[in-house]
Amino acid sequence: MIKCLRVKSMLNFKIDELSVWEKLQKTTEPIIMYGTGNGADKVIDIFEKLDIKLSGITASSGFVRERFFRGFPVKPLEYFEENYNVFTVVITFGTSIPDVMNNIFNIAKKHRVLVPCVPVIGTEILDRKFLAEHEKEINFAYTLLADDFSKKIYEGY
């Protein structure tokens, strides 16, 4: 399942699982990044701050080519499947393209897939520390939502 931090109750504010960043810090599996755009840059910067080791980078077949990204050769996913028994794939881009989504779902059938939440602007990351520091603002924003659908979407994020 692909998700960010979950909050049990917005008003009681309890985090009930490890963040993606905490999971990545704890893993002993090689970490393979899928994507080479702005999101990948942000994720690599955060990896460096959190001392998370990146083992390689992959991309969709049309984007692999003979090239490097942030010092890593961009390899097809099959390369990592041939060289590692088990690894974690970190998705570093957003998409709504059906073929790309299907590819991600197929990867998730074979490998552990994580999708970190990265800021669109700024440098703060959505982690346990951020949630604790902004608990009042997060809960206040929740109280401003008028309908159950909006609250469900907010809680999911």
Side-chain angles (χ1 to χ4, degrees):
M1 180 169 218
I2 300 171
K3 58 185 172 181
C4 294
L5 291 177
R6 287 267 182 220
V7 178
K8 283 185 179 173
S9 166
M10 294 309 296
L11 301 177
N12 293 324
F13 200 85
K14 279 188 142 177
I15 302 168
D16 66 359
E17 65 182 73
L18 293 177
S19 73
V20 169
W21 307 111
E22 291 166 326
K23 290 176 185 178
L24 290 167
Q25 285 175 310
K26 291 179 180 292
T27 191
T28 57
E29 299 175 1
I31 299 170
I32 307 304
M33 182 175 294
Y34 179 16
T36 58
N38 295 358
D41 271 326
K42 291 179 182 202
V43 170
I44 289 174
D45 290 344
I46 295 167
F47 276 19
E48 290 171 354
K49 286 180 189 173
L50 299 178
D51 200 29
I52 297 170
K53 183 181 182 291
L54 179 61
S55 298
I57 297 178
T58 190
S60 300
S61 57
F63 293 93
V64 170
R65 303 185 298 278
E66 299 253 344
R67 67 186 178 104
F68 284 78
F69 184 80
R70 298 279 296 258
F72 288 87
V74 180
K75 302 276 189 184
L77 186 65
E78 294 77 20
Y79 170 86
F80 299 108
E81 290 174 334
E82 292 169 7
N83 288 282
Y84 297 116
N85 290 328
V86 176
F87 57 90
T88 296
V89 177
V90 176
I91 309 297
T92 62
F93 61 93
T95 186
S96 61
I97 301 168
D99 287 346
V100 177
M101 294 294 296
N102 286 332
N103 188 38
I104 293 169
F105 291 133
N106 287 330
I107 292 170
K109 290 176 186 174
K110 298 188 286 185
H111 308 285
R112 179 182 182 205
V113 171
L114 297 174
V115 183
C117 297
V118 294
V120 175
I121 57 170
T123 59
E124 284 190 287
I125 60 172
L126 180 61
D127 61 3
R128 191 176 304 277
K129 180 181 173 205
F130 179 89
L131 292 173
E133 289 174 354
H134 297 279
E135 178 180 354
K136 287 181 183 174
E137 296 102 311
I138 292 166
N139 286 328
F140 178 70
Y142 182 80
T143 66
L144 298 175
L145 301 173
D147 61 280
D148 290 339
F149 182 71
S150 296
K151 290 178 181 180
K152 183 178 178 181
I153 296 297
Y154 192 84
E155 289 170 1
Y157 180 75

